Amino acid sequence: MKNMLEFNNVTYLYQTKDSEIFALDKINFEIKEKDFVSIVGPSGCGKTTILSLSAGLLQPSSGNIYLDNAPLDIKNKKVGYMFQRDYLFEWRSIWKNITLGIEIQKPNEKEKKFEFAENLLKKYDLYSFRNKKPNQLSGGMRQRVALIRTLVMEPKLLLLDEPFSALDFQTRLKVCDDVYDIIKKEEKTAILVTHDISEAISMSDSIIVLTSRPAKVKDIVEIEIKEKTPLKKREDNSFSGYFEKIWRELTNENKE
Amino acid sequence: MKIKNNFFEKSSVYNHKNNKNFSKTHEKYVKKLKIDKIFVLFSQIFILILFLGLWELLTQLNVLDSFFVSSPSRIIKQLQIMIKSETLWTHTFVTFYETVIGFCLATGIGWIVAVILWWNEKVRKILEPYIIILNALPKIALGPIIILWVGSGTNAIIMMCILICVVITTMSLLSSFLSVDEGKILLLKSMNANKFQIFFKLILPNSIPDLMSVLKINVGMSWVGTIMGEYLSSKAGLGYLIVYGGQIFKIDLVMTSTFILCLLAGSMYFIISLFEKRYKK
Ligand SMILES: Nc1ncnc2c1ncn2[C@@H]1O[C@H](COP(=O)(O)OP(=O)(O)O)[C@@H](O)[C@H]1O
Ligand SMILES: [Mg+2]
């Protein structure tokens, strides 16, 4: 299968008034179409930076990023970014929130997009809430609305930055399942940043393990569990083996 | 589905008005709220009546000299005289007109300046100290200069009104614009939004509640500005009547004008509050 995203020796430095922060150090990886990839690493190592670069919000200090086998360009609108917080606009109804991207990008086939948005709402049980305001929804529902807002623009690549970290544990497992289900059904390529190793194993085809800052790719772990849903994957026999392996890699690094 | 159930539970609490099946405790609680509200309202009316009654009584009994403190009955008499001679309407209208024009211009200009400052960070940084100084300056000190520049009368009064309101309008709105969550801006940027879109889809709607409170503050401030302007130089208006009444020792006139002023400022505030409530729905 072809590559969806490719990082080629990507280095990134943040410039601030009194220092320069070396965030990413020659990052290399490839993500295949329709793959679900997680990125784990110590906090502050540069995970969000990788997503911001992939979204075209930052430009690499050096190195190249290819999206769909062409140099990354934010104007191509192929990337959808889902943030840690849902960032729903409280003054807009759910419907107005999920169609925000259509309003902004003014695509040619507007009607089709609206129809698509409506279908997504119906498919994922949010249609009856379309005229509600975000503050009338639970945290898990808000997160699903945020995902649908991202999907409406039909991005080729989905970026998820710790999207579940604001949810309590039970809701989190449920929403994880929902989101996984949605992404698989819509056949999207996705990158998930998380600090939760179990979450990463249960959702991904492969996991990129980063070192602490400046981040380097320490390992890329392929996950081969046959089960279909994250919840079931968590119960698989090989789960704990993967967990231990990644946990070691994350904690051992200081000794190197 | 679990999440959905949770939601319906919440929404049923939310719609308590449509649902009469609540416990006795809740009924009691609602009743108590109602009683409290009535108590507050009655106390407020009582204080007003007590104040007016005492004022009238003490002046009737000559404990207070009505020449210096006037009295409710004298204010009513004064009102009747002014209604007959039609001076009430002209003076009230002049002041009202100046205030409304000053209020609208100040809010409009303040808003536009805030938008410009939000738009351009360089301009914002360059102008910051000037705005701070302008804000700290007691605007009344500019009175003579205003009169020299725009002439005395209505123009000067409106100018004074604008000066008093405009800086604080700009400062509050700008801080509201700048308080928007960076993440929301990033979200729009990830959708490839331009600055116009960021402003109109996010910054502007997000600032509406703050705009409402600025409007409320400006209602008060614009009356201050207008009356101050009228003190400086005027041939008509409530502020003029107050100064004039003070000079010829006609306290009735001063008190009556002040009373009308209270009514006007109060109703303007009330209208803005209604506006605000309507927006919140
Ligand atoms: N805008 C910025 N300016 C300066 N430094 C930044 C900026 N954003 C992030 N950093 C720094 O870069 C490093 C990596 O950040 P980030 O990618 O957000 O880490 P995380 O892995 O927790 O998502 C951190 O040490 C952070 O302090
Ligand atoms: Mg992060």
Side-chain angles (χ1 to χ4, degrees):
Chain A
M1 219 176 266
K2 67 172 184 173
N3 279 346
M4 178 52 74
L5 181 73
E6 189 180 336
F7 267 54
N8 202 333
N9 273 328
V10 173
T11 296
Y12 191 83
L13 293 102
Y14 282 104
Q15 302 297 337
T16 65
K17 199 174 69 190
D18 29 40
S19 73
E20 199 177 46
I21 294 165
F22 194 5
L24 303 180
D25 183 13
K26 292 198 184 116
I27 299 285
N28 285 296
F29 62 80
E30 290 168 3
I31 293 173
K32 300 259 182 286
E33 203 177 4
K34 294 183 196 168
D35 258 9
F36 197 118
V37 175
S38 287
I39 299 179
V40 296
S43 98
C45 75
K47 302 182 291 294
T48 300
T49 310
I50 291 183
L51 292 194
S52 300
L53 285 162
S54 312
L57 294 171
L58 299 174
Q59 307 306 319
S61 308
S62 72
N64 297 301
I65 302 172
Y66 298 97
L67 180 70
D68 216 5
N69 294 317
L72 181 81
D73 185 352
I74 192 172
K75 294 205 177 61
N76 290 344
K77 301 165 191 167
K78 286 179 178 171
V79 181
Y81 201 152
M82 183 171 167
F83 295 83
Q84 190 162 0
R85 287 167 48 207
D86 54 57
Y87 293 135
L88 297 179
F89 293 3
E90 298 300 338
W91 56 88
R92 286 176 165 248
S93 64
I94 297 306
W95 173 253
K96 281 278 172 191
N97 263 292
I98 65 160
T99 52
L100 182 64
I102 304 176
E103 265 176 52
I104 283 174
Q105 301 188 350
K106 302 194 183 80
N108 297 325
E109 348 74 64
K110 238 185 182 171
E111 288 311 310
K112 254 193 200 159
K113 293 264 181 202
F114 280 128
E115 215 171 286
F116 180 61
E118 206 175 304
N119 285 336
L120 282 176
L121 276 187
K122 281 181 185 155
K123 206 150 121 197
Y124 302 114
D125 291 324
L126 286 162
Y127 190 67
S128 51
F129 298 96
R130 67 193 180 283
N131 293 323
K132 296 257 188 296
K133 290 280 163 67
N135 61 12
Q136 292 171 283
L137 267 59
S138 67
M141 291 175 97
R142 291 177 63 119
Q143 216 55 24
R144 270 170 31 221
V145 172
L147 177 63
I148 289 174
R149 177 184 59 198
T150 318
L151 289 173
V152 165
M153 297 320 293
E154 300 183 78
K156 297 206 155 176
L157 175 66
L158 262 181
L159 308 171
L160 312 163
D161 194 353
E162 305 195 26
F164 315 118
S165 56
L167 306 175
D168 63 80
F169 187 67
Q170 265 194 327
T171 320
R172 184 174 177 150
L173 290 181
K174 174 84 186 86
V175 175
C176 246
D177 250 23
D178 286 347
V179 165
Y180 181 84
D181 185 50
I182 295 173
I183 289 171
K184 284 294 164 193
K185 271 192 193 142
E186 304 300 325
E187 304 197 313
K188 298 293 175 200
T189 314
I191 307 180
L192 170 75
V193 161
T194 176
H195 55 249
D196 182 335
I197 302 174
S198 331
E199 194 172 283
I201 301 169
S202 67
M203 292 183 86
S204 340
D205 302 307
S206 65
I207 299 177
I208 299 174
V209 184
L210 298 177
T211 66
S212 56
R213 193 165 59 87
K216 290 185 262 311
V217 176
K218 177 158 192 166
D219 193 8
I220 298 182
V221 183
E222 303 288 333
I223 307 289
E224 276 143 15
I225 303 179
K226 288 285 167 293
E227 297 293 343
K228 282 267 155 25
T229 74
L231 267 180
K232 286 198 181 123
K233 283 189 189 182
R234 281 173 191 263
E235 286 157 15
D236 194 87
N237 287 334
S238 54
F239 190 88
S240 57
Y242 285 120
F243 189 97
E244 210 161 302
K245 179 175 161 67
I246 292 167
W247 190 74
R248 279 239 176 78
E249 283 182 317
L250 282 175
T251 47
N252 275 358
E253 79 163 10
N254 296 336
K255 291 173 194 161
E256 273 177 34
Chain B
M1 213 180 171
K2 186 154 186 304
I3 299 163
K4 233 184 190 169
N5 286 340
N6 273 343
F7 178 77
F8 283 123
E9 272 162 37
K10 256 186 214 152
S11 71
S12 68
V13 174
Y14 192 77
N15 291 330
H16 72 275
K17 273 183 189 151
N18 308 329
N19 195 337
K20 297 259 151 52
N21 308 327
F22 277 94
S23 67
K24 280 264 161 14
T25 347
H26 181 257
E27 242 170 61
K28 259 188 199 160
Y29 176 72
V30 171
K31 211 170 186 179
K32 189 178 168 297
L33 281 185
K34 250 184 212 160
I35 290 173
D36 281 357
K37 207 173 162 188
I38 291 169
F39 176 75
V40 168
L41 185 68
F42 267 94
S43 308
Q44 286 165 340
I45 294 170
F46 178 73
I47 288 174
L48 183 69
I49 291 173
L50 187 72
F51 174 72
L52 292 176
L54 268 179
W55 189 4
E56 185 62 40
L57 190 72
L58 292 176
T59 44
Q60 291 283 355
L61 296 174
N62 274 330
V63 179
L64 290 172
D65 188 347
S66 59
F67 179 76
F68 282 115
V69 299
S70 190
S71 76
S73 59
R74 293 177 70 135
I75 289 176
I76 291 169
K77 225 176 270 161
Q78 180 68 32
L79 268 176
Q80 281 168 343
I81 295 170
M82 286 169 77
I83 290 170
K84 253 183 212 149
S85 65
E86 288 185 358
T87 45
L88 178 70
W89 306 121
T90 31
H91 289 288
T92 306
F93 179 74
V94 166
T95 301
F96 185 68
Y97 166 81
E98 289 161 349
T99 308
V100 170
I101 298 283
F103 170 82
C104 293
L105 283 178
T107 310
I109 295 169
W111 186 82
I112 291 171
V113 174
V115 172
I116 293 170
L117 294 181
W118 174 81
W119 209 280
N120 195 320
E121 198 183 341
K122 277 245 172 59
V123 174
R124 180 163 79 233
K125 283 203 173 126
I126 293 168
L127 293 185
E128 198 180 6
Y130 298 103
I131 291 172
I132 289 172
I133 289 170
L134 211 58
N135 186 45
L137 184 77
K139 277 64 162 189
I140 187 82
L142 298 175
I145 303 176
I146 294 175
I147 292 173
L148 275 177
W149 286 353
V150 302
S152 63
T154 312
N155 284 349
I157 294 164
I158 291 176
M159 192 70 190
M160 180 54 89
C161 182
I162 293 174
L163 268 181
I164 288 205
C165 301
V166 80
V167 186
I168 195 77
T169 304
T170 296
M171 288 173 82
S172 333
L173 287 179
L174 180 62
S175 86
S176 167
F177 292 164
L178 293 174
S179 71
V180 167
D181 197 324
E182 276 297 317
K184 287 187 176 159
I185 295 178
L186 216 55
L187 169 77
L188 289 179
K189 280 188 179 160
S190 83
M191 293 172 169
N192 200 20
N194 58 34
K195 201 149 187 176
F196 261 101
Q197 290 172 321
I198 292 176
F199 184 76
F200 285 106
K201 302 278 182 220
L202 172 61
I203 309 290
L204 187 62
N206 189 65
S207 73
I208 298 288
D210 291 320
L211 178 66
M212 289 296 168
S213 52
V214 166
L215 288 183
K216 273 183 172 171
I217 294 168
N218 278 359
V219 169
M221 298 288 272
S222 58
W223 287 104
V224 173
T226 306
I227 297 301
M228 235 151 77
E230 287 186 352
Y231 283 3
L232 267 176
S233 93
S234 63
K235 294 192 184 67
L238 295 172
Y240 163 80
L241 285 185
I242 292 172
V243 173
Y244 174 72
Q247 280 167 350
I248 60 166
F249 279 99
K250 240 183 129 185
I251 303 304
D252 294 345
L253 187 58
V254 176
M255 287 298 189
T256 309
S257 310
T258 311
F259 170 70
I260 298 169
L261 209 54
C262 279
L263 278 184
L264 278 179
S267 12
M268 204 158 147
Y269 187 87
F270 181 69
I271 290 170
I272 299 279
S273 308
L274 276 187
F275 204 66
E276 187 183 18
K277 261 193 203 140
R278 189 133 169 224
Y279 175 77
K280 270 185 187 155
K281 277 176 192 166

